[in-house]
Amino acid sequence: MDTPLIITIGREYGSGGHEIGSLVASKLGIDFYDKQLITLAAEKSGLSHDYIEQNEQRAKSSFIQNLAASTAYANGFFSTQYLPLSEAIFISQAQVIRDIAAKGPAVIVGRCSDYILAGRPNTINVFIHAPIEVRVARIMKLKNIDEAAAMKLISTSDKERGNHYFRYTDRKWGKAQNYDISVNSALLGIDRTVDMLISLAQIEELHVEND
Amino acid sequence: MDTPLIITIGREYGSGGHEIGSLVASKLGIDFYDKQLITLAAEKSGLSHDYIEQNEQRAKSSFIQNLAASTAYANGFFSTQYLPLSEAIFISQAQVIRDIAAKGPAVIVGRCSDYILAGRPNTINVFIHAPIEVRVARIMKLKNIDEAAAMKLISTSDKERGNHYFRYTDRKWGKAQNYDISVNSALLGIDRTVDMLISLAQIEELHVEND
């Protein structure tokens, strides 16, 4: 197939989605993008890496920012420098994601990449989730924090991801119909989930219907 | 493992969920329940098969029914004959589903079976969906009807399933997190989706986390 394979991964915080994506990419020998999208978007937008990292999923446009954006739109300026910064970040990341998808096969984590690449052939949209107790245990271990702190991190992060996704796609984050396959990573564990996704990706005549 | 394997299948209308469930069951050599649950619930409840078929997913309790039920509850009667009929149907089906799950391995389609069996080990909860255009084409062919009629059937049926699921489970129908695996059946087609589910079911050390 001419269009390179792209696997997008949406994931609940603590579900192992990042690790699963990274393993799928390395086993398939293709590129993997997660946090690196921040650096690439920074280069594209002129915003600093740290600013994007802190703000990419916290869309809190101020009145002044929106006013400036409306004025810019009205005057025919569409450059990202006239947009509220949260919109500028989103647009830069969307451009970066489209560039990546045009270049070669890759696994891309988060950043509404399923929505940004909607309709693209040879794209598998994956959502990884897990029961809350499994995610809490995972985050406690990974970050060496207690249960309450892990629970708070998960709840805040999922809320941000859900809001961010809804804001830019007008779709519900984690709604099965938005993905080709959604998996509870605790059903099979990380390694077997990786194997299952690799088997999927290796089906050559894969016919993907995006809507 | 002692507890027999149960695969529950929730499915969008026209997604092929019934066919997938039926093929998975026959290839695994285990029982399959879909419409048959209606007959079994009828036997259990004393309601007629036709009445259950027409009403099982159309919960429209009348004022009189609710009043009768409240009075029955207040008087300590919990027999299904004092419940609104929609509740009586649900409770009978739930008992039938629990009986089936206790008896031996099976595939069970719909009827909130994922929720009814929540917490049960060795249970895989599946949701099958597909893009609307694929479902319309499937229903047009299966029922020999035109596009508008297919669209109407799909929309009515999905609405009924969603409402029914929410009414009895207080959960969103089709929310990825409620299932172990959700699949767009158009990604791989019916046969490959069946194969994938069979591979899953055959993993012996499967550890399922239900919440």
Side-chain angles (χ1 to χ4, degrees):
Chain A
M1 213 178 276
D2 285 332
T3 318
L5 173 74
I6 296 289
I7 300 174
T8 72
I9 301 195
R11 74 292 178 223
E12 285 190 326
Y13 192 80
S15 67
H18 172 92
E19 190 182 346
I20 289 169
S22 161
L23 287 167
V24 167
S26 80
K27 289 197 177 182
L28 287 174
I30 64 180
D31 287 340
F32 175 69
Y33 298 91
D34 188 339
K35 292 243 174 232
Q36 204 199 333
L37 289 167
I38 295 170
T39 315
L40 295 169
E43 285 166 9
K44 199 127 196 159
S45 65
L47 296 166
S48 83
H49 179 279
D50 288 352
Y51 183 85
I52 295 186
E53 182 159 37
Q54 280 159 37
N55 291 279
E56 60 163 347
Q57 296 192 349
R58 284 172 207 156
K60 289 180 196 135
S61 318
S62 72
F63 173 71
I64 296 296
Q65 280 180 339
N66 282 322
L67 187 71
S70 314
T71 314
Y73 277 127
N75 290 311
F77 294 110
F78 291 102
S79 158
T80 51
Q81 63 178 302
Y82 294 103
L83 288 172
L85 289 175
S86 52
E87 261 65 16
I89 294 172
F90 179 79
I91 289 172
S92 301
Q93 286 187 340
Q95 286 170 341
V96 165
I97 287 167
R98 280 190 216 101
D99 291 350
I100 289 169
K103 215 181 58 188
V107 173
I108 303 174
V109 175
R111 280 94 195 165
C112 310
S113 41
D114 57 315
Y115 176 79
I116 288 161
L117 299 178
R120 180 186 184 279
N122 216 17
T123 307
I124 307 179
N125 297 312
V126 179
F127 186 75
I128 306 289
H129 54 92
I132 186 70
E133 63 277 13
V134 176
R135 297 193 284 142
V136 166
R138 184 180 168 86
I139 293 300
M140 284 171 72
K141 200 172 159 191
L142 272 179
K143 305 251 173 201
N144 196 24
I145 55 179
D146 69 13
E147 194 178 330
M151 189 65 101
K152 198 176 164 193
L153 248 182
I154 289 171
S155 141
T156 308
S157 175
D158 280 358
K159 206 172 287 169
E160 280 175 7
R161 287 178 186 176
N163 289 343
H164 179 260
Y165 189 82
F166 183 71
R167 178 185 167 108
Y168 291 104
T169 69
D170 207 24
R171 305 200 300 200
K172 281 283 252 187
W173 184 69
K175 184 179 168 183
Q177 291 92 328
N178 295 339
Y179 309 91
D180 291 310
I181 181 161
S182 306
V183 193
N184 165 8
S185 59
L187 176 70
L188 303 178
I190 301 291
D191 290 338
R192 283 220 175 86
T193 305
V194 168
D195 292 345
M196 188 179 69
L197 294 176
I198 286 175
S199 312
L200 268 187
Q202 283 172 337
I203 295 176
E204 278 188 35
E205 323 91 287
L206 195 75
H207 64 109
V208 184
E209 308 274 348
N210 281 314
D211 54 333
Chain B
M1 212 178 281
D2 285 333
T3 318
L5 173 74
I6 296 289
I7 300 175
T8 72
I9 301 195
R11 73 288 177 228
E12 286 189 326
Y13 192 81
S15 66
H18 171 92
E19 190 182 346
I20 289 168
S22 161
L23 287 167
V24 166
S26 80
K27 289 197 178 185
L28 288 175
I30 63 179
D31 287 341
F32 175 68
Y33 298 91
D34 189 339
K35 293 246 175 229
Q36 206 199 331
L37 289 168
I38 295 171
T39 315
L40 295 170
E43 286 166 7
K44 197 125 200 159
S45 65
L47 295 166
S48 83
H49 179 282
D50 288 353
Y51 183 85
I52 296 187
E53 182 160 38
Q54 281 159 36
N55 291 280
E56 60 163 349
Q57 295 192 349
R58 282 171 209 158
K60 288 179 197 137
S61 318
S62 72
F63 172 70
I64 296 296
Q65 280 179 340
N66 281 322
L67 188 68
S70 313
T71 314
Y73 276 128
N75 290 313
F77 294 111
F78 291 103
S79 157
T80 52
Q81 64 178 304
Y82 294 103
L83 288 172
L85 288 176
S86 51
E87 262 64 17
I89 294 172
F90 179 79
I91 289 172
S92 301
Q93 286 187 340
Q95 285 169 342
V96 165
I97 287 167
R98 280 190 216 100
D99 291 350
I100 289 169
K103 214 181 57 189
V107 174
I108 304 174
V109 175
R111 280 95 195 166
C112 310
S113 42
D114 57 315
Y115 176 79
I116 288 161
L117 301 177
R120 180 187 184 280
N122 216 17
T123 307
I124 307 178
N125 298 311
V126 179
F127 186 76
I128 306 289
H129 54 91
I132 186 71
E133 63 277 13
V134 176
R135 296 193 284 143
V136 166
R138 184 179 168 86
I139 293 301
M140 284 172 70
K141 202 173 157 189
L142 272 178
K143 305 250 173 201
N144 196 24
I145 53 179
D146 69 13
E147 193 178 330
M151 188 65 100
K152 199 176 164 194
L153 248 181
I154 289 171
S155 141
T156 307
S157 176
D158 280 357
K159 206 172 289 168
E160 279 175 7
R161 288 177 185 178
N163 289 344
H164 180 259
Y165 188 83
F166 183 70
R167 178 184 168 107
Y168 291 103
T169 69
D170 205 25
R171 305 199 301 199
K172 280 283 251 187
W173 184 70
K175 184 179 169 183
Q177 291 93 326
N178 294 340
Y179 310 92
D180 292 310
I181 181 161
S182 306
V183 193
N184 165 8
S185 59
L187 176 72
L188 302 177
I190 301 291
D191 290 339
R192 283 221 176 85
T193 305
V194 168
D195 292 345
M196 188 179 69
L197 293 176
I198 286 175
S199 312
L200 268 187
Q202 284 172 337
I203 295 175
E204 279 188 34
E205 322 92 291
L206 196 75
H207 63 109
V208 184
E209 306 275 350
N210 282 316
D211 55 331

